[in-house]
């Protein structure tokens, strides 16, 4: 389901090939850059970098050789860094604005798929659930979302059903820490270790779903194999390297994200 809180942008076309971004919240600094010369900083992400993710995603997906300049004012009611997808909403908003400014169109499903991919420019290895519901939600209806390919099915809720979403007021910038990506990498490494046990080319596997499909296994089968092949508790990086018969540098290249290069791995 989507929530009522949102992010809004006012956009005007600029006669110069520059992006000018301003936030109505003065705690967020204004930002300007040429449309073809900017950096999305993964080490210290700021609000404008999420806008740039959406902008770059559309430019690359639509193969826009000379994107138009834009003057953008942004306002929003989603609490930042609170687990309510404010960053994904900003990426989606930027992508939609870029699309319209350049007089182009995509279906809602295509937009969701593009935005799921382009948010990774900032280093977050997320899925596509937030982006999908941002574009595919309908008032009064929940959605059952599936991927590969992306599709969404209406789910009728019982009369009187109420969902309460509360903010703890604790902020967590998921792109600025390893917390979000760590679990993604843990599942990837588990998949690769299990693939190696089965004498499969483990570097080809990124998700447990891929391994399940290759093994033609049911979900209970995968649970049983996980219990059989993986031990409880943490794995060190050195242990993973020994199991996969690679060096630390090779593991970094094949499996890790930049902010998960150090530390232990939880099952």
């Amino acid at each position: 389901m989507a929530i009522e809180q949102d992010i809004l942008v006012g956009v005007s076309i600029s006669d110069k090939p520059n992006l000018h971004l301003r936030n109505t919240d003065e705690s967020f600094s204004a930002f300007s850059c040429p449309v073809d010369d900017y950096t999305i900083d993964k080490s210290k992400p700021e609000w404008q970098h999420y806008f740039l993710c959406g902008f770059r995603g559309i430019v690359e997906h639509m193969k826009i050789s000379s994107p138009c300049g834009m003057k953008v004012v942004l306002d929003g009611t989603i609490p930042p860094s609170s687990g309510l997808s404010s960053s994904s909403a900003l990426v989606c908003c930027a992508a939609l604005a870029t699309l319209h400014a350049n007089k182009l169109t995509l279906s809602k499903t295509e937009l969701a798929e593009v935005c799921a991919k382009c948010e990774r420019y900032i280093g977050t290895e997320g899925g596509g659930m937030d982006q999908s519901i941002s574009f595919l939600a309908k008032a009064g209806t929940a959605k059952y979302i599936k991927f590969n390919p992306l599709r969404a099915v209406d789910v009728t809720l019982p009369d009187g059903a109420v969902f309460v979403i509360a903010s703890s007021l604790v902020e967590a910038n998921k792109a600025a820490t390893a917390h979000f990506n760590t679990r993604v990498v843990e599942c990837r490494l588990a998949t690769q270790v299990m693939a190696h046990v089965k004498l499969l080319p483990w570097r080809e596997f990124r998700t447990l779903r891929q391994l399940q499909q290759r093994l033609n296994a049911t979900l209970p089968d995968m649970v049983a194999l996980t219990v059989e092949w993986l031990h409880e508790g943490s794995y060190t990086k050195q242990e993973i390297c020994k199991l996969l018969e690679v060096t630390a540098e090779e593991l970094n290249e094949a499996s890790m994200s930049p902010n998960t290069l150090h530390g232990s791995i939880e099952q």
Side-chain angles (χ1 to χ4, degrees):
M1 295 178 292
I3 58 176
E4 293 180 350
Q5 286 73 16
D6 56 18
I7 287 181
L8 304 174
V9 293
V11 180
S12 66
I13 306 301
S14 173
D15 57 359
K16 296 182 179 180
N18 296 311
L19 295 176
H20 299 284
L21 311 179
R22 183 174 294 277
N23 200 307
T24 58
D25 185 339
E26 294 183 356
S27 66
F28 297 103
S29 301
F31 176 81
S32 297
C33 70
V35 296
D36 59 354
D37 186 15
Y38 55 85
T39 299
I40 299 174
D41 191 346
K42 296 181 181 180
S43 62
K44 190 179 179 182
E46 299 183 15
W47 76 275
Q48 69 269 14
H49 297 135
Y50 291 96
F51 189 97
L52 292 173
C53 284
F55 174 79
R56 176 182 167 185
I58 292 299
V59 169
E60 292 186 352
H61 181 77
M62 303 300 292
K63 296 179 173 60
I64 306 173
S65 57
S66 299
C68 66
M70 295 188 291
K71 297 178 180 179
V72 178
V73 176
L74 181 142
D75 187 30
T77 56
I78 306 175
S81 303
S82 60
L84 293 176
S85 303
S86 58
S87 56
S88 295
L90 177 50
V91 172
C92 291
C93 202
L96 187 59
T98 303
L99 199 66
H100 280 292
N102 288 277
K103 299 180 180 180
L104 299 168
T105 60
L106 283 173
S107 69
K108 291 181 178 180
T109 299
E110 289 176 302
L111 265 171
E113 290 177 326
V114 171
C115 290
K117 294 176 182 177
C118 67
E119 188 169 342
R120 297 169 191 164
Y121 293 144
I122 208 164
T124 303
E125 297 201 40
M129 195 71 72
D130 296 342
Q131 298 84 0
S132 298
I133 199 62
S134 292
F135 286 113
L136 303 177
K138 292 197 302 185
T141 303
K143 289 285 188 179
Y144 176 41
I145 298 175
K146 296 183 178 181
F147 297 94
N148 303 312
L150 173 63
R151 62 256 194 227
V153 179
D154 289 350
V155 176
T156 302
L157 300 176
D159 292 338
V162 176
F163 292 82
V164 178
I165 302 172
S167 173
S168 68
L169 305 182
V170 176
E171 295 189 0
N173 187 339
K174 63 186 180 183
T177 69
H179 299 153
F180 187 89
N181 284 352
T182 294
R183 195 55 174 169
V184 177
V185 170
E186 287 171 346
C187 291
R188 180 181 303 148
L189 290 172
T191 300
Q192 293 174 334
V193 168
M194 293 166 69
H196 186 63
V197 171
K198 292 296 290 183
L199 304 179
L200 296 171
W202 60 267
R203 286 180 174 84
E204 297 179 4
F205 294 89
R206 309 292 287 179
T207 67
L208 287 163
R209 174 187 172 87
Q210 292 172 331
L211 181 60
Q212 180 182 2
Q213 291 175 332
R214 176 68 71 86
L215 297 176
N216 194 28
T218 65
L219 185 57
D221 290 338
M222 291 300 293
V223 172
L225 292 175
T226 300
V227 172
E228 179 182 355
W229 293 343
L230 301 177
H231 66 65
E232 295 185 4
S234 300
Y235 282 78
T236 64
K237 190 172 182 180
Q238 291 73 20
E239 185 179 2
I240 295 290
C241 289
K242 184 177 180 179
L243 288 169
L244 295 178
E245 303 177 87
V246 294
T247 65
E249 291 72 20
E250 289 173 326
L251 186 68
N252 290 345
E253 180 68 25
S255 309
M256 312 296 282
S257 61
N259 61 355
T260 61
L261 297 179
H262 309 286
S264 61
I265 307 299
E266 300 290 340
Q267 183 179 340

